[in-house]
Amino acid sequence: MNDRLAARRRAVASAAAEAGAGALLVTDPRNIAYLTGFRGSGGAVLVEDDGEAVLCTDSRYELQVVEQAPDVGHVISRDYVAGVLGRRRGPADAPLAVEADDLTLSAASALRGVLEKIGAAGTKVVETSGLVEQVRRAKDPVEIGLIERACRVVDESWNHLLAHGLLAVNRSEREVAADLEHAMRRAGSDGVAFDTIVASGPNGAHPHHVPGDRLLAAGDLVVVDFGATVSGYASDCTRTVALGGAADRLLDAYEVVRSAQLAGVAAVRAGLACSELDAVSRGIIADAGFDGYFGHSLGHGVGLDVHEAPAVSSRSASTLSDGDVITIEPGIYLPGLGGIRIEDTVAVTGGGGRSLTTTSTALSVL
């Protein structure tokens, strides 16, 4: 038996019990992978009150499920929910927890139909939000190792992009994004963690700009936000470079962002409120006269999802703990002129913080 996975299932079973349920129906694919090891695109898992589980998937994955999830029960059927509920060991009408954030209205209706069919129409359905995700938040050493490998992929790919002159005047944002994604694949990524952002010149003022046909031009700052996945775990990194001489206001803003980012990384430690960490970097930006030009949070958790708990923002009620993996990504966005963002993925470990992305944050002038 995989003791790590079994411990996770027991933890979510306990959380489901605290929510008033005797079992948990898991339908989110990433949560299924976290609890069983199975990484197919379709399925459902039922976790009983003792942490025992049964997984239902269809015939496409009949061999894969045996290889990836050997220590849970298996049902092969296209009716995932009926498949697992038909194997429930506890009382059929005991309260059943579901992942409300993943269950669509049509799926909820189908669930009621299944319960009625198995003679459990009176079952109380307990809607939960973030139950498995809160257990996922604390990464074990194996998980941190996978995230670190995903960070090495982005480091290697970024160095490749710079060394081969692929970030250059007269290349389009779209071309740069494609080259970077290709480099990540070659470096060992299973795929991108999110849609790559390449924002040049005035487009840099849009934090989530979609790469287009704009050609990079002399004097641009170029914001590049990218991430890789390794065995399902994500990395997240942003670097900003200059193509020749940029406007003085942009260069001043870059140094402010870099100072704020370095201070944020240095401040990471277990026991620190996420809102206080946000304030460390945000205060530096505000004190430099750029208050109002940094609109998003300082960071977020990273794991199986590239955005997960904890939120690192002024509104966050979370406190950092060992095992958290977060981003530190302050930015300044100047409409009509450009933007800067610098981001590292940082593990909270040994009471402090360790950056898993390691390429230089000093301004590169290409």
Side-chain angles (χ1 to χ4, degrees):
M1 175 178 287
N2 187 316
D3 291 339
R4 292 171 59 244
L5 298 183
R8 293 172 182 178
R9 293 192 293 270
R10 288 193 296 271
V12 300
S14 176
E18 290 180 9
L24 171 66
L25 176 64
V26 182
T27 51
D28 181 286
R30 288 186 176 86
N31 289 340
I32 291 171
Y34 180 75
L35 295 171
T36 69
F38 173 65
R39 292 198 284 135
S41 62
V45 169
L46 185 73
V47 181
E48 303 271 10
D49 58 0
D50 58 0
E52 293 297 311
V54 60
L55 187 161
C56 181
T57 188
D58 58 77
S59 59
R60 294 174 297 167
Y61 300 111
E62 192 164 1
L63 297 179
Q64 182 177 330
V65 72
V66 173
E67 295 169 356
Q68 294 182 340
D71 61 341
V72 299
H74 302 145
V75 177
I76 302 300
S77 170
R78 286 199 170 273
D79 196 342
Y80 304 145
V81 173
V84 294
L85 290 182
R87 292 275 295 274
R88 187 173 184 182
R89 292 184 294 104
D93 59 352
L96 175 68
V98 299
E99 297 182 297
D101 296 331
D102 186 69
L103 205 65
T104 64
L105 287 173
S106 60
S109 177
L111 170 61
R112 282 298 183 189
V114 170
L115 291 171
E116 185 174 351
K117 187 175 180 179
I118 64 175
T123 298
K124 178 182 179 182
V125 175
V126 180
E127 297 181 6
T128 67
S129 178
L131 188 151
V132 179
E133 288 82 353
Q134 281 303 314
V135 175
R136 277 171 41 185
R137 175 179 159 177
K139 307 320 189 271
D140 63 33
V142 173
E143 292 177 288
I144 291 177
L146 290 172
I147 297 170
E148 188 162 18
R149 282 173 55 193
C151 288
R152 287 201 298 269
V153 167
V154 299
D155 286 344
E156 181 179 330
S157 303
W158 180 246
N159 288 332
H160 172 86
L161 202 72
L162 299 185
H164 289 81
L166 299 175
L167 251 173
V169 170
N170 290 328
R171 302 203 75 227
S172 73
E173 295 171 340
R174 197 188 309 274
E175 288 174 317
V176 173
D179 286 336
L180 184 53
E181 290 174 5
H182 183 238
M184 287 193 286
R185 279 286 194 178
R186 290 178 62 89
S189 178
D190 300 330
V192 295
F194 53 91
D195 292 338
T196 300
I197 296 170
V198 178
S200 63
N203 291 339
H206 302 278
H208 277 196
H209 174 71
V210 176
D213 293 324
R214 184 184 186 276
L215 300 181
L216 279 57
D220 282 352
L221 289 191
V222 185
V223 181
V224 184
D225 190 346
F226 57 112
T229 59
V230 171
S231 296
Y233 285 83
S235 58
D236 196 354
C237 179
T238 307
R239 295 292 183 259
T240 302
V241 299
L243 299 182
D248 288 345
R249 184 162 171 77
L250 286 172
L251 296 177
D252 291 344
Y254 187 95
E255 292 309 318
V256 172
V257 172
R258 185 169 186 243
S259 295
Q261 204 267 344
L262 291 171
V265 172
V268 171
R269 58 177 173 80
L272 179 67
C274 289
S275 58
E276 292 181 24
L277 179 55
D278 180 277
V280 168
S281 295
R282 196 170 301 278
I284 291 172
I285 289 173
D287 290 346
F290 290 98
D291 192 19
Y293 295 103
F294 173 28
H296 57 75
S297 5
L298 179 63
H300 52 82
V302 177
L304 289 171
D305 285 302
V306 76
H307 287 87
E308 59 180 51
V312 184
S313 74
S314 59
R315 302 173 302 282
S316 178
S318 296
T319 297
L320 293 180
S321 302
D322 277 341
D324 283 337
V325 178
I326 60 172
T327 64
I328 302 294
E329 49 177 304
I332 292 175
Y333 307 95
L334 303 171
L337 187 59
I340 302 99
R341 184 165 63 255
I342 303 172
E343 174 186 24
D344 285 312
T345 299
V346 180
V348 185
T349 179
R354 178 169 66 91
S355 182
L356 304 181
T357 38
T358 61
T359 54
S360 174
T361 60
L363 181 62
S364 293
V365 180
L366 307 178

